[in-house]
Amino acid sequence: MTFKRIFLILLITSTYSAFAQKDGYWDKERATTKEVLVSAGDRLVVKTEDLPVGTTEIVYRITLLDKNQQMANSLVSLLKAIPDPYGIGQGSAGAVFLMSKISGDDQCTYSLFTSNETAKKYVSDGKIDSACYSQSEPVSKDAKRISLDKNSCLKENTKTIWFGFESKNWFLTQKIVLEVVPWVDTKLNRGWNQDNKNEIISLCKTSTMAQKMANSDDFCVCILDKIMKEYRYAEFQKLLAVEKTKVYKDFGNACYKDADISKNVYNDLRNQIATLIKQQKYNEAIQKLNIIINDGKATALDYSSIGYCYILTKQYAKALKFLQEGEKLDDTELLVKLNLAHVYLVSNNYSDAKTIYKKYQDQNVTDSLSWKDKTKSDFVLFEKAGLPSKDFEKILKLFN
């Protein structure tokens, strides 16, 4: 073997390795290899073996042989040297590499169909208007790679392909060898195509957990990923309805606890709560605040908010209970302190209320809102809500 030839082989091998980016395999077990005889001028159809789930590409080779000729190398054996379909797609060199080293003098045209009906019609009338691909120039051999996900006719869920051949030999019967090898995407082989994924996402969006979120996309994708990892699509479809419900619930709980998703969920809830309080829909705000508290995700500010809502709905005992819980979480949170003062005041505990109001009167409850201004605006709202207001003026005079 000459140095140039060795160098060329190494170059081809390294090029294929460098561009081997697709995660999958050539399925030699379900490859099609068929020899057929076609009478002079006749047409016939050859059906491939069923393509495996997850087939995204096919490579086929057509070789016309004289009567006593035999194939030198099978297509499957040649594809062992190519890691993935990318290598074949680099231009004519890839196709030439797959070509049979021999062929006869006979020629044929051929077309590809996706149904038995269109294939039979082709045999009957020779028309190729329903073909997914046609080779109209007569050839003695041909090899091509077809990407199913890029072909508007041949799609990822195509199960079988029919090859229609028309002999261009005027006198003698010709022998045609058809070889088809599918490339199977490892992930898609589990049966999860776009439609199947959308089915899971749509069901997730209607779940109770998803309804809590302003945007449940990340949550539902998390559930989808866990289901796809655990089950093939066919396996998942065989589960009973109650089993599917449990799967959704278990994976939903796991995703709900994910730090990033959980953070977004509760931030969404807090935004909804702030809007409800501004709209004076306090009972609805309380329901959402209870979700955060019951899930163990509440901050001192969440306890302050629910205490505030309970004050405005005149549920003072509940307000006191939650505000004291908030105080335990953060004894420096002045919004909790202010609402504690409020609940003492409206429930006739003026002495405890006065102590708190005076203690923090010169501080800010937020970076831009003073204790005094917040107290004044709260008293205006409390009066409109019909809360006991006989001591409001007395407290305001303490600030002068």
Side-chain angles (χ1 to χ4, degrees), residues 6 25 39 47 52-53 110 172 202 213 269 313 332 374 396:
I6 293 172
Y25 57 93
S39 299
K47 178 185 174 184
V53 174
Y110 68 88
L172 301 174
S202 297
M213 310 170 198
L269 276 173
T313 53
T332 67
K374 176 63 173 162
L396 294 176

Side-chain angles (χ1 to χ4, degrees), residues 125-365:
D125 59 23
K127 291 182 180 179
I128 58 173
D129 52 316
S130 59
C132 293
Y133 175 79
S134 289
Q135 172 60 45
S136 54
E137 289 294 320
V139 292
S140 62
K141 58 186 176 182
D142 203 4
K144 280 187 173 57
R145 161 192 171 237
I146 292 182
S147 235
L148 272 61
D149 57 351
K150 294 178 182 176
N151 189 296
S152 59
C153 180
L154 294 169
K155 299 179 181 178
E156 280 185 19
N157 57 357
T158 298
K159 301 297 183 188
T160 313
I161 299 173
W162 285 260
F163 280 74
F165 295 99
E166 182 173 358
S167 169
K168 294 302 179 181
N169 190 329
W170 285 37
F171 301 106
L172 301 174
T173 296
Q174 58 187 205
K175 180 164 69 172
I176 298 174
V177 178
L178 170 66
E179 300 167 278
V180 183
V181 183
W183 171 267
V184 181
D185 183 289
T186 303
K187 288 185 179 178
L188 294 178
N189 180 239
R190 296 180 65 79
W192 292 102
N193 60 32
Q194 204 64 34
D195 291 339
N196 298 339
K197 291 178 184 178
N198 285 332
E199 176 187 329
I200 300 297
I201 294 291
S202 297
L203 284 171
C204 170
K205 292 276 187 182
T206 64
S207 68
T208 304
M209 289 183 181
Q211 296 295 316
K212 297 177 183 179
M213 310 170 198
N215 187 341
S216 58
D217 288 353
D218 288 347
F219 173 71
C220 289
V221 168
C222 176
I223 290 178
L224 174 63
D225 285 344
K226 290 183 182 296
I227 290 175
M228 289 196 301
K229 187 175 180 180
E230 184 73 18
Y231 300 95
R232 290 179 179 272
Y233 179 70
E235 293 171 344
F236 184 73
Q237 288 300 90
K238 289 178 182 177
L239 295 178
L240 299 174
V242 290
E243 291 175 317
K244 285 184 180 179
T245 300
K246 187 176 186 304
V247 168
Y248 273 104
K249 183 179 178 182
D250 291 346
F251 287 153
N253 286 332
C255 291
Y256 201 64
K257 291 173 183 175
D258 178 271
D260 291 334
I261 293 175
S262 179
K263 182 180 178 182
N264 291 335
V265 168
Y266 296 113
N267 284 343
D268 286 344
L269 276 173
R270 289 183 181 107
N271 290 333
Q272 294 171 37
I273 289 162
T275 300
L276 289 170
I277 291 175
K278 191 177 289 186
Q279 295 171 346
Q280 299 183 17
K281 297 178 179 178
Y282 303 117
N283 283 324
E284 291 180 44
I286 288 169
Q287 291 173 19
K288 293 186 182 293
L289 281 160
N290 271 319
I291 292 172
I292 299 175
I293 292 168
N294 292 336
D295 287 350
K297 302 295 182 181
T299 65
L301 285 173
D302 294 322
Y303 282 104
S304 175
S305 295
I306 198 168
Y308 185 73
C309 291
Y310 276 129
I311 290 171
L312 281 157
T313 53
K314 301 181 182 180
Q315 300 179 75
Y316 306 136
K318 289 182 179 179
L320 182 60
K321 172 192 169 185
F322 283 105
L323 290 167
Q324 287 173 337
E325 289 296 319
E327 195 174 34
K328 290 175 187 176
L329 272 182
D330 187 354
D331 193 46
T332 67
E333 180 50 66
L334 293 193
L335 283 172
V336 173
K337 298 290 188 184
L338 182 58
N339 284 325
L340 266 174
H342 290 338
V343 77
Y344 287 141
L345 188 65
V346 296
S347 57
N348 294 317
N349 189 347
Y350 178 80
S351 176
D352 286 346
K354 177 182 175 182
T355 300
I356 299 174
Y357 282 124
K358 285 194 69 173
K359 183 175 181 179
Y360 300 105
Q361 64 177 320
D362 295 322
Q363 297 191 42
N364 279 5
V365 293

